[in-house]
Amino acid sequence: MDLSEFNRLPADAARDVLRPCLDVDRWIDAVVAARPFPDLDSALASAREDAAPLRTDEIDSAMSHHPRIGEKAEGDSAEAAHSTREQAGLGALGDDVQARLAAGNAAYEERFDRVFLIRAAGRSPEEVLSELERRMDNSDADETAEVGEQLIQIAALRLEGILS
């Protein structure tokens, strides 16, 4: 789908396109209402600005669609397909990296009571591990804000992929 096609969609159909990017009704409604976009950069800017900042309840809801980093998303939903593509850049993880990610995921979940979320696209496994380790020192409030920012980055990347 290209931008002009997205701009012409009925509102309900546009919402269906956006939901796998970020399942937050407030954001979806704002992006749909901002159409038509003159260009892709405007659509992506709106997607970023309309999401920020995400509230804690929105983050919690959106997180339910994201698998652990390093694990394959289950099912055949649009969200699972996006996640699989995004994590594909991590390549085949060696046993050491897989074990470190599993241990890091477990420690993170124990610390923050949610799965570790990061925009995996464009990052190496070493970068992901480094970020996971760095974020373990975040306060709860700082980590919630960082998760919200990662969700926004993921949403923008997904929307760009859909509209390009």
Side-chain angles (χ1 to χ4, degrees), residues 17 20-21 67 69 71-73 76-91 119-123 154 157-163:
V17 168
C21 299
I69 193 79
E71 292 184 6
K72 183 175 171 23
D76 59 358
S77 68
E79 291 92 344
H82 283 299
S83 181
T84 299
R85 279 191 301 275
E86 292 156 3
Q87 290 199 43
L90 296 176
R119 175 192 44 80
R123 288 192 164 115
I154 291 166
L157 282 172
R158 289 178 176 184
L159 184 59
E160 183 176 23
I162 290 168
L163 299 180

Side-chain angles (χ1 to χ4, degrees), residues 1-10 13-14 17 35 162-163:
M1 158 180 311
D2 65 16
L3 181 64
S4 63
E5 186 178 353
F6 177 71
N7 281 335
R8 290 190 310 269
L9 286 175
V17 168
R35 296 176 311 150
I162 290 168
L163 299 180

